[in-house]
Amino acid sequence: MRPILLSGHERALTQIKFNPDGDLLFSVSKDQNICVWFSHNGERLGTYKGHQGAIWTVDVDHTSTFIASGSADNTIKLWEVKTGKCLKTWEFPTAVKRVEFNEDSTQLLGVTEKRMGHLGTIVVLNIIPDVNAEQSDEKELTIVCDESKATVAGWSYLNKYIIAGHEDGSVSQYDAKTGEQLDNFPVHELGMQVTDLQWSPDRTYFITASKDKTAKLIAARDLEVLKTYPADTPLNSAAITPKKDYVLLGGGQAAMDVTTTSARQGKFEARFYHKIFEDEIGRVRGHFGPLNTVAADPTGKSYASGGEDGYVRIHHFDKGYFDFLYEVERERQNQNRL
Amino acid sequence: MSNKQRDWADDDDLDETTTTELPPPQTMQNKDGTKTTVTWRYNDQGQKVKTTRRIRLVTHREVVDPRVAERKTWAKFGLSEKDGAGPQMDTTSVGENIIFRLSTNWRKDTKEEGKDAGATAMKEKLKDKTVKCRICNGEHFTARCPYKDTMAPVGAEGAAGDPAAGMGDEPAAAGGAGAGKKGSYVPPALRGSGAGAGEKMGGKYGERDDLATLRVTNVSEMAEESELRDMFERFGRVTRVFLAKDRETGMAKGFAFISFADRGDAVKACSKMDGYGFKHLILRVEFAKKAA
């Protein structure tokens, strides 16, 4: 497996995202550019310029026509993927930490930071799926998180719920139409923030990563914890790999803690766990800083990771990855063949 | 890098020679189906840089979605606007090859590490313990006890009671290595199958493994590990298949190792598969010799 190194950013990566066809990879970092890359060879298609602060988050719609980005300059921007043109800017009182399109890309949610007397909120914006249309300034919905601010959020299956992960380690479920809080569970250890939330392909369950060194697979319908993946380091990101039943975790000692902890190297690795058996089955090293974000290619052929070191690494899996089976799985396969 | 070695005292006007035209790019066909291209360019310091690339062209047909195909034709924009076709050297590079093999043993390996930590903790605990004789409770090894022949041990627990006390006695255990005299140095390789035995490289595949491992030679270079596994799984549970591959071309080198869980299966497989025709070649199967 030869990784492709993308060095288009000058500062730490904050989020990377594949489009649904898996051919484009969007990356954002604390420098002020969004980059888009062809995932098969690492060629840079272009950059999106316009933000005035660190960019925290990016998401692409299901047709790969638009991307949305949220930044520390207190704006969400909507861009045309093909040309790099900024189509719309929404202003907020505080920084935007997470954006996500809903399943049919008619709405966009944004998570705003709690700061300067403002409470953390989750806002929902209507999107007109036309490049030439004038997008509305109106907010469709505003959910105020008065207990603990939301750090991540996403849309569940059929746009039924908005699921949010909070700073205190809890996960909550909101009605996506009314914004009413339906449920809230302390899934992770108290006070250990949820750092990432990524969906399964059908959006019926999701994986959360947390600073409490675990990642959890949770059902969207009732927030039941299905699986737990313990790691030995705080986690920044987690993804579910399509095609094979694995999950992918990324983390590492936060940059500010490195000098105060053991000098032992090697926590800056992507970890693969078996989704069902919850066993760690492999690691991929390469970054020389903590992994801030990982993403799995929706076609299942590759994955990418972005690190504090400013690099994105795209890994195309070898045959061995697809052939790997547990003894029980292999036996079942042999039985079926007979 | 091939700019001429220049002395500092040389005249500066020699500089002009560096701006002469570059040799044309060369392409050579290699015997193993690869191509070598040599190109020249000037770097920022005006030095001539020779780039030699060995390229292996493999035609790989892939059917993609029309949407994906259309996106490949898009014009570049933003900071990449002036880039040519294909990946650019300043933003994209290829990393070192990573050996990424999934295995269920990950957890076990980390546990073993934990065990080592346990051993050091035990050592720490025993650090300030003194030697105690099992026969008379005196401060010497049991074997050196003056009452050795006349008294029976105090407790019946034996060595399990106090590991520190067990160190000097039981010459039979240490003597198994032919050390003869007590307390003489026994090289690690000759020590009994104690805790130290697993400490060679690749310790995971210990001696147990060697007994049921077959060496398969004259394997076709198109062979795959999974094919070998399928072939040998007929005889019993295969714990490991290793097919040596060339690092550059990815082709098999022509030999493989197959480990069975059970030696009986290995014997059976060895007799049945020796001389078996596989992909235009006749396999030779024998028991792997232990590495020296």
Side-chain angles (χ1 to χ4, degrees), chain B residues 240-258:
Chain B
R240 180 180 70 119
V241 175
F242 173 77
L243 176 66
K245 283 187 177 161
D246 190 281
R247 247 175 21 154
E248 305 240 320
T249 62
M251 297 274 213
K253 273 187 175 165
F255 67 96
F257 289 94
I258 318 278

Side-chain angles (χ1 to χ4, degrees), chain A residues 1-7 19 21 23-24 33 36-38 40-48 63-64 81-84 230 246 272-273 280-285 301 313 315 317 319 321 324 326-327 330 334, chain B residues 62 65 67-80 83-107 110 113 224 226 229-230 233 237-238 247:
Chain A
M1 191 163 74
R2 268 185 192 277
I4 303 173
L5 271 70
L6 312 180
S7 43
N19 71 337
D21 293 321
D23 64 322
L24 298 180
N33 282 321
V36 54
W37 313 82
F38 286 114
H40 70 287
N41 63 355
E43 185 179 348
R44 185 161 75 176
L45 172 62
T47 59
Y48 304 83
T63 60
S64 307
V81 170
K82 187 177 176 179
T83 58
Y246 309 142
F272 281 83
Y273 283 67
E280 182 164 359
I281 49 175
R283 286 187 187 186
V284 178
R285 52 200 314 154
K301 287 184 210 150
R313 296 168 74 97
H315 305 74
F317 294 122
K319 197 164 169 296
Y321 168 87
F324 174 75
Y326 268 65
E327 201 69 36
R330 201 183 297 282
N334 288 346
Chain B
E62 197 177 350
D65 201 288
R67 292 192 302 261
V68 176
E70 197 234 317
R71 284 198 280 267
K72 282 186 185 165
T73 63
W74 282 1
K76 296 189 178 184
F77 57 89
L79 294 176
S80 287
D83 292 354
Q88 298 302 302
M89 286 220 294
D90 56 337
T91 53
T92 307
S93 54
V94 176
E96 255 172 61
N97 197 19
I98 296 176
I99 296 162
F100 175 48
R101 207 168 275 164
L102 297 177
S103 103
T104 46
N105 292 335
W106 251 103
R107 197 127 306 270
T110 46
E113 246 170 59
E224 297 278 350
S226 59
R229 184 181 274 276
D230 285 347
E233 227 161 33
R237 201 161 78 80
V238 173
R247 247 175 21 154

Side-chain angles (χ1 to χ4, degrees), chain B residues 233-285:
Chain B
E233 227 161 33
R234 279 182 266 165
F235 303 98
R237 201 161 78 80
V238 173
T239 54
R240 180 180 70 119
V241 175
F242 173 77
L243 176 66
K245 283 187 177 161
D246 190 281
R247 247 175 21 154
E248 305 240 320
T249 62
M251 297 274 213
K253 273 187 175 165
F255 67 96
F257 289 94
I258 318 278
S259 300
F260 281 90
D262 185 45
R263 188 176 155 83
D265 295 336
V267 172
K268 211 161 52 180
C270 182
S271 63
K272 294 275 185 202
M273 294 303 286
D274 195 18
Y276 182 82
F278 171 58
K279 295 207 174 186
H280 77 261
L281 288 177
I282 293 170
L283 295 184
R284 177 157 167 67
V285 182

Side-chain angles (χ1 to χ4, degrees), chain A residues 35-186:
Chain A
C35 291
V36 54
W37 313 82
F38 286 114
S39 65
H40 70 287
N41 63 355
E43 185 179 348
R44 185 161 75 176
L45 172 62
T47 59
Y48 304 83
K49 193 172 161 47
H51 275 299
Q52 304 294 317
I55 307 173
W56 291 112
T57 172
V58 67
D59 194 28
V60 55
D61 80 329
H62 74 287
T63 60
S64 307
T65 317
F66 300 110
I67 57 166
S69 58
S71 160
D73 63 5
N74 304 351
T75 61
I76 291 179
K77 279 178 189 282
L78 188 75
W79 312 80
E80 189 185 0
V81 170
K82 187 177 176 179
T83 58
K85 206 166 69 187
C86 180
L87 301 174
K88 175 76 187 166
T89 303
W90 288 276
E91 299 253 356
F92 295 92
T94 56
V96 181
K97 295 304 283 275
R98 182 61 72 126
V99 291
E100 193 173 298
F101 283 104
N102 68 356
E103 245 181 335
D104 53 359
S105 310
T106 51
Q107 289 187 319
L108 175 75
L109 72 74
V111 176
T112 65
E113 181 74 277
K114 172 184 177 180
R115 193 156 293 160
M116 299 181 289
H118 295 279
L119 285 170
T121 63
I122 302 171
V123 294
V124 176
L125 304 160
N126 282 325
I127 302 290
I128 304 161
D130 180 8
V131 178
N132 300 316
E134 185 72 26
Q135 305 287 345
S136 140
D137 264 322
E138 287 296 304
K139 294 182 188 85
E140 174 73 16
L141 187 68
T142 303
I143 302 167
V144 179
C145 307
D146 39 15
E147 272 181 37
S148 174
K149 73 168 189 202
T151 50
V152 289
W155 299 86
S156 80
Y157 58 96
L158 306 176
N159 309 330
K160 198 168 177 192
Y161 307 117
I162 290 174
I163 307 285
H166 294 272
E167 198 183 22
D168 65 356
S170 67
V171 169
S172 50
Q173 185 189 47
Y174 298 94
D175 188 308
K177 294 276 178 306
T178 62
E180 182 194 349
Q181 190 178 54
L182 304 172
D183 239 330
N184 180 289
F185 276 120

